[in-house]
Amino acid sequence: MLLEVFLVLGTLLIYFLFSKKDEETLPFKDGWWGRGQKPVTKEDSSIRPFKVETAEEELSDLFRRLDQARFTEPLENSFFHYGTNSVHLRKVVSYWKNQFNWKKQVEVLNNYPQFKTKIQGIDIHFVHVKPPCLPEGQAAKPLLMVHGWPGSFYEFYKIIPLLTDPASHGLGDEHIFEVICPSIPGYGFSEAPHKKDFNSVSAASVFYELMLRLGFSEFYTQGGDCGWLICTNLAQIAPSHVKGLHLNMVLVTKLGLSHLLSILLGRYFPGLFGFQDEDVRRMFPFLKKWLHKILSEFGYAHIQTTKPDTVGCGLNDSPVGLAAYILEKFSSWTDMEFQNLEDGGLERKFSLDDLLTNIMIYWVSGCIVSSMRFYKENLQKGIGTQKHDKLTVQVPTGIAAFPNEILHIPQAWAKKKYTNIVSFHFMPRGGHFAAFEEPELLAKDILQFVDKVEKEQLWKKKGE
């Protein structure tokens, strides 16, 4: 009898060790997000050139609102701890009215080719930049780059030339990219969904359809913030089409016993949980570097997950309110220590022109409400409850962990979700808006990741 038990156990062990199980993919979400009922006629799939344009009436209305702004006196020595400090906000508004040249920034935005195409009932805006030249016999690698909130496609303007023309920037010419930067539906110049339930899987499905429409059957993806989740979902939907997934932010949506034990004991026994010294430095003390940050920095997410339209309506009506709401994120999420400065450290990493250009994209498009709704659509059913939360990612994955990201996720945690991590690097500096803040660092990490995937042909080994 004992022999039979061992034989059964041995057979089961061999089965689990050597049997191959097809990894479940995430279903493509074929929705209709346009107004009214889906028409019976075939959707227009044409790709139309687009340019940013602003009427004089819109600018006159903006300046009138800026002139009539009401400011609240900040508390003494409060700096940015209570949010955007109105002393500095006055200076930003003064620059906005008297020195900022939106027409010049429109020219900057229109320097790269932009297009619109209708997918699932709504117009999708995207920037599409091809390499200025290619070495003979070499093809450009398609790269889909997805922004987050409260950012926009403009975040990628400084990294685009480093990827489409790396040789001219001292980064070699072995890997040259054709970059596609769409605006998430409801952000920037992409039409907002007219129906409920447009979430990250919906966006991933739309962008997958966009890439196929552009003629790309295989491509790389890159994202942070909301772009992290959209690109992750895209890799789950179409693992045979996504050659590699590069992320500059990762979050864990399902915590188990191993996570809890590593939180309690990882500081003292890091090796036992796969933590490196840098993981320990960034994560502990856990109450301060995780729980305190969640309580102090994620109030906005609770508002946007529950009643986004309430605060959104006010922001959509006030350019100064909109600026205060967005600038606070560019301060804290770039470096939490910037909260100790009266100017929020905003111009230590960004120019006012760049910050105001991003804000103007939200203002002239009137997209702040629809962009905030994206949180509700993704989180209203709970964290870790969706199908994509329960599926792993088999696609070759590269992670650039920037030191000032709001929450640090160690590789030991990330690999439970991303089972094929081929590159995980602790970046030397930078925060949440990596492409905007440290374009060269991010470009180098993308290049080394793609180099590894290509040389080892890792995309062909997915699931092996």
Side-chain angles (χ1 to χ4, degrees):
M1 181 65 182
L2 189 60
L3 178 60
E4 291 173 343
V5 171
F6 279 119
L7 285 173
V8 171
L9 291 175
T11 302
L12 288 172
L13 180 62
I14 291 171
Y15 173 78
F16 284 117
L17 286 176
F18 296 101
S19 66
K20 289 201 174 183
K21 181 182 177 182
D22 291 334
E23 183 66 25
E24 187 179 1
T25 59
L26 190 64
F28 174 85
K29 192 171 181 179
D30 187 13
W32 173 260
W33 308 105
R35 296 181 188 274
Q37 295 295 315
K38 182 177 181 179
V40 293
T41 55
K42 187 177 180 182
E43 186 171 69
D44 177 14
S45 60
S46 62
I47 296 173
R48 314 180 307 276
F50 171 81
K51 283 194 173 184
V52 179
E53 295 178 338
T54 308
E56 286 297 329
E57 292 79 6
E58 292 179 88
L59 294 179
S60 297
D61 176 70
L62 168 67
F63 290 129
R64 176 184 63 80
R65 293 170 189 261
L66 293 177
D67 285 335
Q68 295 176 352
R70 295 192 305 172
F71 294 91
T72 301
E73 183 180 350
L75 296 174
E76 296 177 3
N77 302 314
S78 60
F79 306 110
F80 262 58
H81 289 288
Y82 284 69
T84 300
N85 187 291
S86 61
V87 171
H88 186 65
L89 185 61
R90 285 178 182 270
K91 297 176 183 177
V92 173
V93 172
S94 175
Y95 182 88
W96 198 350
K97 291 192 299 183
N98 301 310
Q99 293 168 266
F100 178 69
N101 188 338
W102 171 239
K103 292 181 179 179
K104 179 181 176 182
Q105 293 306 108
V106 166
E107 292 178 5
V108 172
L109 292 175
N110 289 331
N111 277 339
Y112 291 137
Q114 298 174 64
F115 305 88
K116 283 191 175 185
T117 188
K118 194 169 288 292
I119 300 177
Q120 298 187 13
I122 52 178
D123 267 339
I124 304 302
H125 162 262
F126 62 98
V127 175
H128 186 177
V129 185
K130 298 180 180 181
C133 61
L134 279 169
E136 188 175 350
Q138 188 171 341
K141 298 173 178 64
L143 174 64
L144 175 75
M145 305 189 77
V146 184
H147 65 87
W149 185 92
S152 63
F153 66 95
Y154 182 60
E155 289 180 66
F156 300 118
Y157 267 49
K158 288 182 173 62
I159 197 173
I160 286 174
L162 306 184
L163 297 170
T164 57
D165 189 16
S168 296
H169 299 86
L171 300 177
D173 62 0
E174 191 168 358
H175 304 291
I176 301 174
F177 296 92
E178 183 170 340
V179 178
I180 300 91
C181 303
S183 295
I184 300 170
Y187 288 69
F189 302 110
S190 279
E191 186 178 353
H194 298 278
K195 294 174 172 59
K196 297 186 295 182
D197 299 326
F198 186 94
N199 59 15
S200 61
V201 179
S202 310
S205 299
V206 166
F207 291 163
Y208 176 41
E209 197 167 335
L210 171 65
M211 295 302 281
L212 294 179
R213 186 172 295 183
L214 293 173
F216 303 125
S217 58
E218 290 185 329
F219 51 90
Y220 287 90
T221 62
Q222 200 285 327
D225 196 84
C226 299
W228 142 72
L229 186 54
I230 293 170
C231 289
T232 293
N233 292 162
L234 181 45
Q236 293 171 316
I237 290 170
S240 60
H241 294 267
V242 177
K243 294 177 73 174
L245 168 67
H246 187 278
L247 304 169
N248 58 275
M249 188 196 87
V250 175
L251 287 179
V252 174
T253 55
K254 289 185 69 179
L255 294 176
L257 179 61
S258 61
H259 295 98
L260 179 60
L261 290 174
S262 64
I263 289 169
L264 295 172
L265 303 173
R267 186 179 187 181
Y268 309 103
F269 308 101
L272 185 63
F273 300 98
F275 288 174
Q276 300 182 48
D277 290 343
E278 185 64 13
D279 291 320
V280 174
R281 189 187 72 79
R282 295 186 185 188
M283 288 179 66
F284 298 99
F286 193 79
L287 287 177
K288 176 184 177 182
K289 296 191 175 181
W290 257 75
L291 291 184
H292 176 71
K293 283 185 178 180
I294 290 173
L295 291 173
S296 63
E297 294 301 319
F298 285 78
Y300 83 98
H302 186 69
I303 292 172
Q304 295 177 191
T305 301
T306 53
K307 301 293 190 296
D309 285 28
T310 302
V311 66
C313 287
L315 300 178
N316 193 51
D317 190 57
S318 168
V320 175
L322 179 68
Y325 199 67
I326 290 178
L327 289 175
E328 181 246 310
K329 302 308 177 194
F330 276 89
S331 169
S332 296
W333 294 359
T334 300
D335 190 333
M336 294 285 287
E337 293 300 317
F338 287 172
Q339 293 184 7
N340 297 317
L341 304 172
E342 189 174 278
D343 65 357
L346 287 167
E347 292 180 70
R348 294 196 176 193
K349 291 298 184 75
F350 311 107
S351 70
L352 274 183
D353 282 347
D354 283 340
L355 292 169
L356 287 171
T357 297
N358 181 66
I359 291 168
M360 283 292 288
I361 289 171
Y362 278 83
W363 179 257
V364 299
S365 66
C367 73
I368 187 63
V369 177
S370 53
S371 73
M372 293 163 67
R373 287 175 185 157
F374 198 57
Y375 279 73
K376 185 174 181 67
E377 306 297 13
N378 281 295
L379 298 172
Q380 62 183 332
K381 295 179 181 177
I383 298 174
T385 61
Q386 306 302 303
K387 184 169 185 178
H388 67 80
D389 292 313
K390 301 167 186 175
L391 295 178
T392 58
V393 176
Q394 302 295 307
V395 166
T397 303
I399 298 174
F402 284 83
N404 293 326
E405 184 56 84
I406 309 165
L407 299 175
H408 173 69
I409 302 295
Q411 183 175 354
W413 286 11
K415 70 181 183 181
K416 296 180 186 299
K417 175 74 173 184
Y418 303 87
T419 61
N420 193 5
I421 296 176
V422 300
S423 170
F424 186 101
H425 289 138
F426 295 105
M427 306 305 283
R429 62 184 180 275
H432 185 73
F433 304 97
F436 209 29
E437 180 190 350
E438 296 289 350
E440 187 172 348
L441 280 181
L442 184 61
K444 286 180 178 178
D445 202 73
I446 293 170
L447 285 164
Q448 66 80 31
F449 164 67
V450 170
D451 185 67
K452 189 167 186 178
V453 173
E454 292 286 331
K455 285 183 176 176
E456 299 181 25
Q457 297 190 326
L458 295 176
W459 76 92
K460 296 181 179 179
K461 303 176 183 179
K462 286 178 285 199
E464 292 184 8

